[in-house]
Amino acid sequence: MPRPTNIPKRNLPAGAQNRAALPQAQALALVQQGLAAHQQAKFEEAHAFYERALKIQSDNFDALQLLGALLIQTSQFEQAVAVLSKAIAINPRYAPCHNYRGIALKELKRFDEALVSFEQGLSVKPDDIDAHYNRGCTLQDLKRLDEAIVSFKQAIALKPDYAEAYNNQGFVLHELQHFDEALISFNQAIHLKAGYAEAYNNLGNTLKALQRLQEALASCDQALAFDPNYVLALNNRGVILQVLKRFEEAIVSFNKAIALHPDYPEAYYNRGIALNELKHLAQALASYEHAIALKPDFVEAHNNRGKVLKELARLDEALASYNNAIAVSPKHPDAYSNRGFIFQEMKRLGEALASYDQAIALKPDYTEALWNKAIALLLTGDFTQGWPLYEQRWDNKTLELKKRIVPQPLWLGIEPLNGKTILLHAEQGFGDTIQFCRYAKLVSALGARVILEAPSALMPLLSGLEGIDVLVQVHQPLPDFDYHCPLLSLPLAFKTTVQTIPGSGPYLKADQAKLLVWQNKLGQKIRPRIGLVWSGNPKHKNDTNRSMTLQQLQACLPGGYDYISLHKEVKTSDQEILDNQVTIRTFSHELNDFSDTAALCELMDVVISVDTSVAHLASALGKETWVLLPYAPDWRWLLDRQDSPWYQSVRLYRQDEQRDWNNVLISVAADLTKRLATFGFDSTSSTN
């Protein structure tokens, strides 16, 4: 909104000193001197002249209205409102006074009063261009966006080359998500006003909203070419670079904005996002905290601070951060959902569910909260409510799952399958496919011809699965079918409860030819064999919690056993340890697919694994399997039990409240020592 910069020249009457009484003449002379100084931007000098004039003649309209304009120019808005109100009381028909008073009220964020003032000015002078423009800006502040557009259009009708009105009109059109119209308005502003940095910056934001990211970046760069110190453009440029996943460059842009404007909370906040993406968690936390220090009610910064604290495993602090976000904005669904997740990590499931419900009440289509609620319900064993909500996985963008789009209808247990062909398809990880392929037998029992589509690494393993008529590798042509169902929707289709989980005994078999191959590789068995898996895929979202290092595991292993690594891939740090020890044998490069791993598992006496696909594989083979779980486990392992209704042969070892592996490994070592006696060995026997 423009402030009065070109001070209007009042028609001060010629020869007034001859016609007026002496005090009036003295006041008039002082006003003229003040106006001359004012027009030369000598504000202190002008202010003094106006004040002297008012001491002589307190109701001097010219001194009041010019002083009011000067006070706005020098950001003394409260005083400006008082002075201009006096001027209006003397001469309510002078439109600029109403406009100036509106400007001062708007700067004080007294928007309703500002709007009244602009409208009073327009009632006096309906063709006041700036009053229409300023009214539009105030309506914009009041979120009365459609009315704001009308005001800007009126200003433009009166002044077709009014670049600022086009720019603000574009901004409101953007807010209304009329992006194509906003582009036209910004481009018109740029056409009318060369070097209009603000319009280029706004154009960049709208191009970003349209996912025209390279053009958006170029537009922000153009704004900065005209004004290299334009902090808003630096910030927006950083945001666009973030969307382009150019996080290092984004940080450079945010740092420039912060250097120019150290009290700019949004730049700190956005820098925190980029630092978090780069896993510079401590720096991200500090950046969010800078933003909050500058803007204590910055709800998004409180929320994102909570996310970083969660990643740092500082759960109590994360919970406090989400509570702060909720205190600032009680209708912020993200904070409720994220707080629910922290409660879930703390195994405070009742509070977690209540928090998810609050998020869903605020945003009924909030897929992430619905999904989080599904996981909490399944974790508590409430499968009846959990399975329907688990279908939200397809709409939860954070999971990055691809919903299968086929012309055939989805089957969820309603339609009869007798004489029909159904496609069952893998959808998530290898472990999920191994766990839920057991349902093929139940589908077949309904009279269906069953096609199972699976990833190549599982094809040999699943070739003998009961209930399968056709096994097809992912991305290969499919035979005709009538229905389809993702594997993890089958529990919903069969209304599975904890008590009715099917196939908890062995349902997969190792290939006999592969068994012979691996027997030869392992050689003569001279002591019990223990298969080991200590870490999973590092890309897994919960890998930090579910995995341990080889060094941690190795330190707890008692003697008397032949230890075999069941890893196909090993982290670099663990590989260095494997290469320089003789306790654990490894065959990573000889495991071609899961049929090899299955044969190797079959030859073990016990498989000890963290929560990975191998844990599911060994359990599905019916091997005695000890699964090592983090404090907050995956939903399928339920809570506070040592067995699993999914697998008869599983024993669960759970972290305690300390959230480390010490208690788990102590228990494993003790149980291995006890178990050794059942094989006729003692723990002091050499492992070499």
Side-chain angles (χ1 to χ4, degrees):
M1 174 183 292
R3 296 181 185 175
T5 51
N6 298 318
I7 303 305
K9 296 182 179 180
R10 293 279 292 148
N11 294 320
L12 303 178
Q17 293 184 35
N18 297 326
R19 298 195 304 272
L22 183 60
Q24 293 174 310
Q26 290 175 329
L28 180 60
L30 289 167
V31 170
Q32 290 174 324
Q33 289 175 282
L35 180 58
H38 196 162
Q39 290 171 334
Q40 296 175 54
K42 297 177 180 178
F43 297 134
E44 290 185 13
E45 187 178 333
H47 191 287
F49 280 121
Y50 296 148
E51 289 286 5
R52 286 170 61 192
L54 290 168
K55 283 182 180 178
I56 295 170
Q57 189 179 19
S58 62
D59 62 348
N60 187 295
F61 176 77
D62 294 306
L64 287 168
Q65 66 96 11
L66 290 168
L67 177 59
L70 184 148
L71 289 167
I72 293 174
Q73 286 177 285
T74 55
S75 300
Q76 300 176 69
F77 303 116
E78 291 281 5
Q79 299 94 314
V81 171
V83 167
L84 289 165
S85 295
K86 289 180 182 178
I88 290 169
I90 296 167
N91 183 4
R93 300 296 299 169
Y94 187 59
C97 271
H98 293 286
N99 193 40
Y100 294 166
R101 182 175 181 274
I103 290 171
L105 288 164
K106 183 179 184 299
E107 292 288 344
L108 292 168
K109 300 189 184 304
R110 292 159 60 180
F111 300 123
D112 289 312
E113 295 172 79
L115 184 62
V116 170
S117 204
F118 293 132
E119 289 177 344
Q120 287 172 336
L122 287 167
S123 70
V124 174
K125 186 181 179 184
D127 62 349
D128 189 327
I129 299 166
D130 285 340
H132 282 294
Y133 172 79
N134 290 335
R135 179 178 182 272
C137 292
T138 306
L139 288 164
Q140 185 177 339
D141 289 321
L142 290 167
K143 302 300 180 185
R144 292 162 59 177
L145 302 182
D146 290 319
E147 294 173 81
I149 291 289
V150 172
S151 270
F152 292 133
K153 288 187 180 300
Q154 287 172 316
I156 291 166
L158 292 164
K159 184 182 178 182
D161 62 347
Y162 200 164
E164 290 79 7
Y166 276 109
N167 178 60
N168 273 44
Q169 176 182 261
F171 192 94
V172 174
L173 288 164
H174 178 107
E175 289 290 297
L176 291 167
Q177 298 189 7
H178 299 165
F179 298 127
D180 290 328
E181 295 173 71
L183 290 182
I184 293 169
S185 205
F186 291 135
N187 280 319
Q188 184 64 17
I190 289 165
H191 171 73
L192 291 169
K193 184 177 177 180
Y196 196 174
E198 184 180 347
Y200 275 108
N201 177 62
N202 290 337
L203 176 64
N205 273 341
T206 301
L207 288 165
K208 177 172 75 71
L210 290 167
Q211 294 298 306
R212 293 162 59 177
L213 298 178
Q214 295 298 338
E215 294 172 81
L217 186 61
S219 197
C220 282
D221 286 340
Q222 189 64 62
L224 290 164
F226 292 122
D227 183 357
N229 295 331
Y230 188 5
V231 292
L232 189 60
L234 285 166
N235 181 64
N236 290 341
R237 181 177 186 273
V239 171
I240 294 165
L241 287 165
Q242 279 182 339
V243 179
L244 290 166
K245 300 190 182 303
R246 292 160 60 178
F247 299 113
E248 296 283 1
E249 295 172 80
I251 290 168
V252 171
S253 203
F254 296 134
N255 284 340
K256 287 180 181 177
I258 289 166
L260 290 164
H261 193 347
D263 58 351
Y264 187 8
E266 286 75 15
Y268 286 104
Y269 168 75
N270 287 323
R271 185 178 69 177
I273 294 173
L275 289 165
N276 189 30
E277 289 286 346
L278 293 171
K279 300 302 179 186
H280 300 330
L281 299 182
Q283 293 169 269
L285 181 62
S287 211
Y288 289 137
E289 288 176 344
H290 271 296
I292 292 166
L294 292 166
K295 186 179 177 182
D297 63 347
F298 199 160
V299 61
E300 290 83 2
H302 284 291
N303 188 54
N304 277 26
R305 178 178 180 269
K307 292 179 184 179
V308 173
L309 287 164
K310 177 184 78 68
E311 291 296 314
L312 291 167
R314 292 160 59 178
L315 299 185
D316 289 327
E317 294 172 82
L319 182 59
S321 205
Y322 292 133
N323 282 334
N324 287 338
I326 290 165
V328 168
S329 179
K331 295 186 177 181
H332 196 279
D334 287 355
Y336 285 106
S337 182
N338 291 333
R339 185 180 70 174
F341 189 83
I342 297 298
F343 281 135
Q344 188 169 320
E345 286 289 296
M346 293 175 164
K347 296 205 292 194
R348 294 161 60 177
L349 274 299
E351 292 166 281
L353 288 166
S355 208
Y356 294 143
D357 283 339
Q358 286 171 300
I360 294 162
L362 291 166
K363 186 179 177 182
D365 61 348
Y366 191 0
T367 55
E368 288 83 358
L370 290 163
W371 163 259
N372 287 340
K373 182 180 179 181
I375 299 303
L377 289 166
L378 294 173
L379 185 59
T380 63
D382 186 350
F383 287 6
T384 302
Q385 291 190 76
W387 293 128
L389 284 178
Y390 194 76
E391 294 299 297
Q392 293 290 328
R393 65 193 184 276
W394 304 114
D395 297 319
N396 186 349
K397 294 179 181 179
T398 63
L399 299 177
E400 298 181 346
L401 296 176
K402 293 183 179 179
K403 190 173 185 178
R404 192 63 172 271
I405 305 299
V406 293
Q408 293 86 346
L410 172 66
W411 182 79
L412 290 178
I414 305 300
E415 299 83 0
L417 290 182
N418 191 35
K420 301 293 185 181
T421 299
I422 185 169
L423 169 68
L424 307 181
H425 44 92
E427 54 170 281
Q428 297 185 39
F430 294 132
D432 297 287
T433 302
I434 291 168
Q435 182 178 2
F436 292 97
C437 69
R438 70 182 73 196
Y439 279 88
K441 182 179 178 181
L442 275 69
V443 177
S444 179
L446 296 176
R449 179 173 179 264
V450 177
I451 304 166
L452 176 62
E453 184 187 60
S456 58
L458 290 174
M459 291 291 287
L461 174 69
L462 299 178
S463 61
L465 179 66
E466 188 175 356
I468 298 300
D469 295 291
V470 180
L471 183 64
V472 179
Q473 184 175 315
V474 171
H475 304 310
Q476 295 301 310
L478 292 165
D480 292 338
F481 56 94
D482 302 296
Y483 296 100
H484 79 100
C485 185
L487 284 180
L488 275 79
S489 292
L490 289 168
L492 172 62
F494 284 96
K495 297 180 172 58
T496 299
T497 66
V498 172
Q499 293 73 32
T500 63
I501 290 173
S504 62
Y507 56 88
L508 293 179
K509 295 179 181 178
D511 180 80
Q512 291 300 310
K514 289 286 180 78
L515 278 172
L516 291 174
V517 170
W518 281 98
Q519 283 175 343
N520 290 330
K521 289 180 186 294
L522 291 175
Q524 183 182 357
K525 182 178 179 181
I526 59 174
R527 57 183 64 87
R529 290 172 176 153
I530 306 295
L532 300 175
V533 180
W534 56 88
S535 66
N537 183 345
K539 295 180 181 179
H540 190 282
K541 65 178 181 179
N542 197 40
D543 190 60
T544 302
N545 293 322
R546 70 169 183 164
S547 294
M548 68 178 75
T549 65
L550 174 56
Q551 187 176 26
Q552 286 176 293
L553 177 62
Q554 193 175 25
C556 88
L557 298 176
Y561 287 102
D562 184 9
Y563 293 107
I564 312 294
S565 167
L566 301 177
H567 280 264
K568 178 174 173 57
E569 296 180 356
V570 178
K571 295 174 183 176
T572 302
S573 56
D574 290 338
Q575 187 63 54
E576 292 172 359
I577 295 173
L578 280 175
D579 292 341
N580 292 284
Q581 56 82 53
V582 294
T583 304
I584 302 170
R585 292 199 281 165
T586 181
F587 300 91
S588 300
H589 300 300
E590 299 175 70
L591 294 170
N592 297 310
D593 55 45
F594 275 88
S595 65
D596 286 302
T597 308
L600 196 52
C601 286
E602 190 66 63
L603 295 169
M604 300 297 107
D605 292 288
V606 178
V607 171
I608 300 175
S609 175
V610 294
D611 183 9
T612 68
S613 57
V614 177
H616 290 283
L617 173 59
S619 303
L621 292 167
K623 295 302 299 182
E624 183 176 355
T625 306
W626 299 359
V627 182
L628 317 184
L629 297 176
Y631 180 73
D634 187 86
W635 62 266
R636 68 203 72 212
W637 304 116
L638 303 174
L639 292 171
D640 305 324
R641 57 189 295 170
Q642 292 183 327
D643 66 333
S644 169
W646 292 98
Y647 302 108
Q648 289 178 358
S649 62
V650 157
R651 179 172 182 177
L652 303 176
Y653 293 77
R654 299 176 183 271
Q655 287 181 352
D656 61 18
E657 293 84 354
Q658 299 302 313
R659 295 176 178 271
D660 60 36
W661 293 109
N662 290 340
N663 73 301
V664 170
L665 295 176
I666 289 169
S667 297
V668 167
D671 288 346
L672 279 174
T673 300
K674 292 176 187 176
R675 187 66 200 280
L676 185 59
T678 67
F679 295 106
F681 290 86
D682 109 26
S683 61
T684 60
S685 300
S686 170
T687 60
N688 299 321

